[in-house]
């Protein structure tokens, strides 16, 4: 059962690489006398290079060939000739980088399809999406704190600064805008709610009628849960659809902190 349906999809023709035509066999023909004369004259006219530069360039080429051969024989990662990988890039260089929605829609649709395999129900599917987002939240926390100015690069130690960090810094990094609302439950002191009127992860997902209770924003809930766990505020985060006439895809992320978080908060509030 396919859950992904987006306007910007990639056809199979874009994913299939065209096979190049086989190269014609190389035929060697001995040079004629005139060609040999011209070759010898051109060779004689060419100035000789210093021996040191030729030796250094040949040794560098041999080292690169040996490294490529070792990488191919070991079966591990293949490094480019300049030995630069994605891990060598400066983390601040891609601060304002953006990803096309078509690429995100295709990738997230494949993630939902992968999580849908061998599930027993909707809750199991949402749990798998949550587990996929949890490690991303842990890594995003370190990345966003690294990009903060040195004076303000501090992990939140209270609940309110943590929630403000999630609704502003994290939400802007993921969706280029802050969250729509942040509320505290009137009945339970350990529950907070973050509202998003139109989650990006649900815009390109078509949910069947028999699975109308499914909310794929559980992936974002896993990211928020990872940020909470990484800062030392263990919590359980779930996504709930509360659509209205104006915002049919409105989603509320319910954050329920563990009892030890409230105990620490009450201790820090003491004068």
């Amino acid at each position: 059962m396919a859950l992904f349906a987006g306007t910007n999809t990639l056809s199979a023709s874009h994913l299939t690489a065209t096979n190049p035509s086989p190269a014609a066999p190389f035929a060697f023909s001995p040079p004629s006398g005139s060609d040999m004369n011209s070759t010898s004259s051109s060779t004689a006219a060419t100035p000789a290079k210093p021996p040191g530069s030729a030796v250094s360039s040949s040794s560098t080429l041999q080292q690169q060939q040996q490294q490529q051969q070792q990488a191919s024989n070991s079966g591990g990662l293949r490094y480019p000739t300049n030995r630069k990988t994605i891990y060598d890039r400066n983390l601040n260089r891609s601060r304002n980088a953006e990803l096309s929605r078509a690429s995100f829609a295709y990738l997230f649709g494949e993630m939902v399809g992968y999580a849908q395999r061998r599930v027993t129900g909707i809750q199991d599917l949402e749990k798998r999406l949550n587990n996929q987002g949890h490690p991303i939240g842990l890594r995003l926390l370190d990345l966003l704190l690294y990009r903060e100015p040195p004076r303000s690069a501090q992990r939140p130690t209270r609940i309110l600064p943590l929630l403000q960090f999630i609704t502003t810094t994290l939400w802007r990094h993921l969706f280029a805008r802050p969250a729509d609302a942040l509320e505290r439950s009137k009945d339970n002191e350990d529950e907070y709610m973050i509202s998003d009127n139109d989650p990006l992860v649900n815009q390109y997902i078509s949910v069947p009628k028999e699975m109308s209770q499914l909310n794929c924003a559980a992936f974002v809930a896993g990211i928020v849960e990872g940020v909470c766990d990484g800062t030392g505020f263990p919590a359980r985060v779930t996504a709930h659809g509360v659509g209205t006439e104006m915002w049919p895809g409105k989603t509320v992320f319910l954050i329920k902190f563990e009892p030890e978080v409230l105990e620490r908060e009450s201790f820090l509030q003491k004068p």
Side-chain angles (χ1 to χ4, degrees):
M1 183 179 299
L3 293 181
F4 169 72
T7 56
N8 299 325
T9 58
L10 300 179
S11 60
S13 61
H14 293 130
L15 302 178
T16 305
T18 57
N19 295 325
S21 59
F26 177 75
F28 174 76
S29 59
S32 60
S34 60
D35 296 337
M36 293 179 64
N37 296 333
S38 61
T39 304
S40 60
S41 62
S42 62
T43 304
T46 303
K49 295 182 179 180
S53 61
V55 173
S56 61
S57 61
S58 61
S59 61
T60 305
L61 181 60
Q62 291 178 0
Q63 291 178 0
Q64 292 179 357
Q65 292 177 354
Q66 291 177 0
Q67 292 173 357
Q68 292 178 359
Q69 185 177 3
Q70 292 177 359
S72 60
N73 294 336
S74 61
L77 294 176
R78 294 186 178 181
Y79 294 93
T81 56
N82 58 359
R83 306 295 298 173
K84 295 294 184 179
T85 63
I86 189 175
Y87 302 105
D88 298 319
R89 299 177 183 175
N90 191 349
L91 294 178
N92 289 326
R93 183 176 301 177
S94 59
R95 180 192 296 267
N96 298 325
E98 296 182 356
L99 178 67
S100 66
R101 290 196 176 189
S103 301
F104 169 77
Y106 179 79
L107 178 60
F108 187 69
E110 292 296 324
M111 293 173 58
V112 174
Y114 177 80
Q116 191 183 3
R117 302 173 185 173
R118 299 179 182 179
V119 295
T120 57
I122 297 177
Q123 294 182 354
D124 192 11
L125 177 56
E126 291 183 346
K127 183 178 180 180
R128 288 196 174 191
L129 292 174
N130 187 289
N131 293 336
Q132 290 179 357
H134 188 273
I136 298 178
L138 294 174
R139 289 165 175 80
L140 276 179
L141 174 63
D142 295 334
L143 176 63
L144 296 177
L145 290 178
Y146 174 82
R147 289 178 174 175
E148 288 290 327
R151 295 182 178 179
S152 60
Q154 297 180 358
R155 290 177 180 266
T157 58
R158 304 288 295 272
I159 292 180
L160 187 58
L162 170 65
L163 296 177
Q164 292 177 348
F165 174 82
I166 293 174
T167 55
T168 56
T169 305
L170 178 65
W171 233 257
R172 284 196 180 98
H173 177 77
L174 294 176
F175 311 114
R177 59 176 179 82
D180 295 308
L182 173 63
E183 300 175 325
R184 182 176 180 178
S185 176
K186 298 181 180 179
D187 300 330
N188 302 317
E189 296 182 354
D190 58 346
E191 292 182 354
Y192 292 81
M193 294 168 287
I194 299 176
S195 300
D196 193 325
N197 294 334
D198 191 15
L200 179 63
V201 294
N202 292 341
Q203 294 181 8
Y204 303 99
I205 299 296
S206 178
V207 181
K209 293 182 179 180
E210 59 271 16
M211 302 178 66
S212 58
Q213 297 180 356
L214 173 65
N215 194 329
C216 293
F219 174 73
V220 181
I223 296 177
V224 175
E225 185 173 340
V227 173
C228 293
D229 292 344
T231 51
F233 292 81
R236 174 62 178 167
V237 184
T238 54
H240 306 273
V242 289
T244 61
E245 295 182 359
M246 182 177 296
W247 303 105
K250 184 178 180 180
T251 300
V252 173
F253 299 92
L254 179 62
I255 305 175
K256 185 176 180 62
F257 291 101
E258 297 295 334
E260 57 267 23
V261 176
L262 297 181
E263 294 178 3
R264 181 179 58 192
E265 188 73 12
S266 60
F267 177 78
L268 293 175
Q269 288 179 354
K270 294 180 180 180

